[in-house]
Amino acid sequence: QVSLMESGGGSVQTGGSLRLSCVASGLPASKLCMSWYRQVPGKEREWVATVNNDGWAGYSNSAKGRFTISKDNTNNALYLQMSSLNADDTAMYVCSAGPNCYSVPYWGRGTQVTVSS
């Protein structure tokens, strides 16, 4: 069983930055494909970014150029460095993981990011 615990969310002004963390336990991060999603009440969950077992990283169009996903296998952690934040980035950010990028059985509870002007 894998558990995921996110942290690092908070309130920030437009144009600001935040770094989200997700610590995995139960399986080494080196064996996991890990992703960030975000959820706004009343809207569908939106994929943000993924880093696979080989270190390949992919981003949604909204995240590309502003967010950086990284995985720290030593600390079993996933990060999302976010910059140039705007109100559209306000959401609950949730970490997910799986043995590959096509199977995502593990989800965290999320960390709230609020961007205000």
Side-chain angles (χ1 to χ4, degrees):
Q1 182 71 22
V2 174
S3 64
L4 303 171
M5 179 69 75
E6 302 95 335
S7 63
S11 296
V12 64
Q13 291 192 323
T14 299
S17 300
L18 278 176
R19 186 194 195 210
L20 307 183
S21 300
C22 170
V23 176
S25 59
L27 275 177
S30 59
K31 295 186 181 296
L32 296 170
C33 176
M34 301 183 76
S35 300
W36 288 100
Y37 287 78
R38 62 189 185 186
Q39 178 81 59
V40 175
K43 293 188 177 181
E44 288 190 6
R45 184 171 57 204
E46 178 187 6
W47 171 69
V48 177
T50 292
V51 57
N52 73 1
N53 315 52
D54 297 324
W56 170 89
Y59 300 90
S60 66
N61 286 336
S62 62
K64 204 172 297 182
R66 300 187 301 128
F67 296 179
T68 301
I69 190 170
S70 60
K71 188 153 52 110
D72 181 347
N73 292 332
T74 300
N75 293 308
N76 245 29
L78 177 73
Y79 303 107
L80 186 69
Q81 178 68 48
M82 306 187 294
S83 61
S84 301
L85 288 164
N86 59 62
D88 290 337
D89 297 316
T90 294
M92 180 72 74
Y93 283 73
V94 182
C95 172
S96 70
N100 58 67
C101 293
Y102 303 100
S103 171
V104 190
Y106 309 116
W107 294 85
R109 293 194 173 193
T111 185
Q112 178 68 37
V113 172
T114 302
V115 185
S116 57
S117 56

